[in-house]
Amino acid sequence: MVLLFFMPVFIALRIFIPLAPWWDPIAGFALGFGLLFFIAVASKGGMGGGDVKLMGVLGIVLGWKATLLAFILATLFGAVLGVAGLALKLIKRGQRIPFGPYIVLATFVSYFFPRDDRLVFSFHELNATKT
């Protein structure tokens, strides 16, 4: 229910404060919703519908690049903490672990991560100047 409230708010936010290409929030929604929907269908209920909707709505805010980063980080955080929980015997093998907290943590990291593409391409340009 909360996501139904925030979806129009985030759409209005992107209308008044747009991302670089105009289609970036749409692609972020499609990527976030689509990735987790595919996992939910493939796992036959292993992923909840709330996680799918959450990632879709957050995709509107993040855009497609940060949504992909958030998905990768959420998976990494969930895997690391899941293995640590197994090792410390805090969780049992086969026990369901909520994915939503990892999505939220990864969203904060990817939202505040510097998105300057020059950081990514500077290493490539540095190597190109040496040859």
Side-chain angles (χ1 to χ4, degrees):
M1 200 66 174
V2 173
L3 294 174
L4 291 176
F5 171 77
F6 278 105
M7 188 170 186
V9 171
F10 291 151
I11 290 171
L13 173 76
R14 286 299 159 224
I15 290 172
F16 293 110
I17 306 170
L19 292 176
W22 64 269
W23 49 266
D24 205 20
I26 298 167
F29 173 81
L31 180 66
F33 186 88
L35 277 172
L36 269 64
F37 182 76
F38 174 75
I39 292 170
V41 170
S43 67
K44 297 181 176 134
M47 176 75 63
D51 297 330
V52 175
K53 292 181 280 190
L54 175 63
M55 197 68 179
V57 170
L58 292 174
I60 295 170
V61 176
L62 297 174
W64 78 269
K65 289 180 186 179
T67 300
L68 184 59
L69 177 62
F71 172 74
I72 292 168
L73 289 175
T75 304
L76 177 69
F77 295 156
V80 168
L81 293 174
V83 169
L86 284 171
L88 297 172
K89 300 196 187 302
L90 297 173
I91 59 173
K92 297 174 187 165
R93 186 173 290 287
Q95 180 180 346
R96 291 183 181 234
I97 302 171
F99 193 53
Y102 303 115
I103 293 173
V104 172
L105 177 63
T107 297
F108 279 120
V109 171
S110 65
Y111 186 78
F112 293 111
F113 189 78
R115 290 189 219 153
D116 190 0
D117 287 340
R118 289 177 294 175
L119 294 174
V120 175
F121 295 114
S122 64
F123 181 74
H124 173 70
E125 292 169 358
L126 180 66
N127 286 334
T129 58
K130 287 183 181 179
T131 58

